[in-house]
Amino acid sequence: MVSDSAVLLDRVFHALAHPARRAMLRRLAAGERNIGELAAPFRMSLPAASKHVRVLERARLVRRRVVGRTHVCWMEPRPLAKADAWLENCRRHWEAAFQRLDTVLEELKTRQKGRECLET
Amino acid sequence: MVSDSAVLLDRVFHALAHPARRAMLRRLAAGERNIGELAAPFRMSLPAASKHVRVLERARLVRRRVVGRTHVCWMEPRPLAKADAWLENCRRHWEAAFQRLDTVLEELKTRQKGRECLET
DNA sequence: GCGATTGTCAACCATGTGGTTAAATATTTT
DNA sequence: AAAATATTTAACCACATGGTTGACAATCGC
């Protein structure tokens, strides 16, 4: 399926579209944390934090292993690379279009110059 | 306000979290389009497309000018760079943590080697 | 001026999101 | 065995999203 990768991108961008989840991910980038530790910096109940972690898991940005009664989470960077690739691709296309536009404008200017020469 | 930039990031990532909006943005990366042209590739009413464009505008990814009865849209790349920067930063932190972990593992291995030497 | 074209606005609907509290589950500590 | 800890589940709430249709407004071509 082509759209399979698109669904993952949907989930990755959606996961990143909330400040709490971005903060969680940044902390996980530094090392493993359990749910309670991830929840601590926010004025937010444990169930709320748990939901955010599940959103990150659906985007495959985070995984967990259960160690006794604690759930230890860690970051998985590969989906970030996919998002990154999409952004970069979009920007590259824009820059190419901009370059083409610039060329056209430059050409118009030189044509204008030629006409001025004829007029003088 | 610190959170001002965070709100923009929220909006940018949210704008990118829908396949129709990503497709619209990619088309706009190639050049200007009006609302009807943006809606055309999808089985989607004009009002629906209009809403998507507004989401892109709130994220400052797209702007428009009204030319007669058509609304001409173009892409504004700067917020993409902000999203890009966030991703890159997150990945860099992860790589640094990974590097540290790798160093620790390497050190453990050499210590193990030393102990083996003592044992023989 | 009239009809066709381009787009918005308003109202509505189903579903999703982000949060809460209260109860249940599993594990560790005492 | 009982109490404390870490987390999930369930039920609920307010509000946002993504879509529709129908009516309205502006502009272009004849």
Side-chain angles (χ1 to χ4, degrees):
Chain A
M1 230 65 87
V2 175
S3 64
D4 195 38
S5 154
V7 169
L8 184 60
L9 263 191
D10 292 357
R11 292 181 181 172
V12 169
F13 282 128
H14 172 244
L16 296 176
H18 193 291
R21 288 191 295 258
R22 284 200 304 277
M24 286 176 169
L25 202 59
R26 260 204 308 228
R27 292 194 71 204
L28 289 175
E32 302 186 340
R33 294 276 183 277
N34 63 30
I35 306 284
E37 289 170 340
L38 288 175
F42 308 101
R43 285 208 258 77
M44 177 188 295
S45 65
L46 220 43
S50 177
K51 282 187 186 179
H52 283 303
V53 172
R54 255 196 303 167
V55 171
L56 290 165
E57 284 181 298
R58 271 196 315 173
R60 303 197 192 288
L61 286 165
V62 164
R63 296 181 63 192
R64 84 172 72 186
R65 61 177 183 279
V66 179
V67 176
R69 62 188 164 184
T70 77
H71 294 207
V72 181
C73 304
W74 70 93
M75 174 179 153
E76 204 71 65
R78 283 196 300 276
L80 274 192
K82 289 210 111 191
D84 208 4
W86 192 93
L87 289 182
E88 216 42 66
N89 190 267
C90 195
R91 283 222 287 168
R92 231 188 47 231
H93 279 254
W94 182 83
E95 275 159 18
F98 191 80
Q99 187 58 45
R100 284 197 299 277
L101 178 65
D102 214 46
T103 309
V104 169
L105 289 178
E106 202 56 42
E107 189 175 336
L108 280 178
K109 212 157 69 180
T110 55
R111 274 196 207 168
Q112 184 61 31
K113 272 237 171 77
R115 215 172 299 153
E116 276 167 6
C117 285
L118 286 180
E119 278 163 2
T120 13
Chain B
M1 230 66 87
V2 175
S3 63
D4 196 37
S5 154
V7 170
L8 183 61
L9 263 191
D10 292 357
R11 292 181 180 172
V12 170
F13 282 129
H14 172 245
L16 296 176
H18 193 292
R21 288 192 293 260
R22 284 200 303 278
M24 285 176 169
L25 201 60
R26 260 204 308 227
R27 293 193 71 202
L28 288 175
E32 302 185 342
R33 296 274 185 278
N34 63 29
I35 307 283
E37 289 168 341
L38 287 175
F42 308 101
R43 284 206 258 78
M44 179 188 293
S45 66
L46 218 44
S50 178
K51 284 186 185 179
H52 283 303
V53 171
R54 255 194 304 165
V55 171
L56 289 165
E57 283 180 301
R58 272 195 316 171
R60 303 196 192 289
L61 285 164
V62 164
R63 296 183 61 192
R64 83 172 72 187
R65 62 179 182 278
V66 180
V67 176
R69 62 186 163 182
T70 76
H71 294 208
V72 180
C73 303
W74 71 93
M75 174 179 152
E76 204 70 65
R78 282 196 300 277
L80 275 193
K82 290 210 110 192
D84 209 3
W86 193 93
L87 289 182
E88 216 43 65
N89 190 267
C90 194
R91 283 224 288 168
R92 229 188 47 231
H93 279 254
W94 182 83
E95 276 158 19
F98 191 80
Q99 186 60 44
R100 283 197 300 278
L101 178 65
D102 215 45
T103 309
V104 170
L105 289 178
E106 201 57 41
E107 190 176 334
L108 280 178
K109 211 156 71 180
T110 54
R111 273 196 209 168
Q112 184 62 33
K113 272 234 172 80
R115 213 171 301 152
E116 275 166 8
C117 284
L118 285 180
E119 278 164 4
T120 12

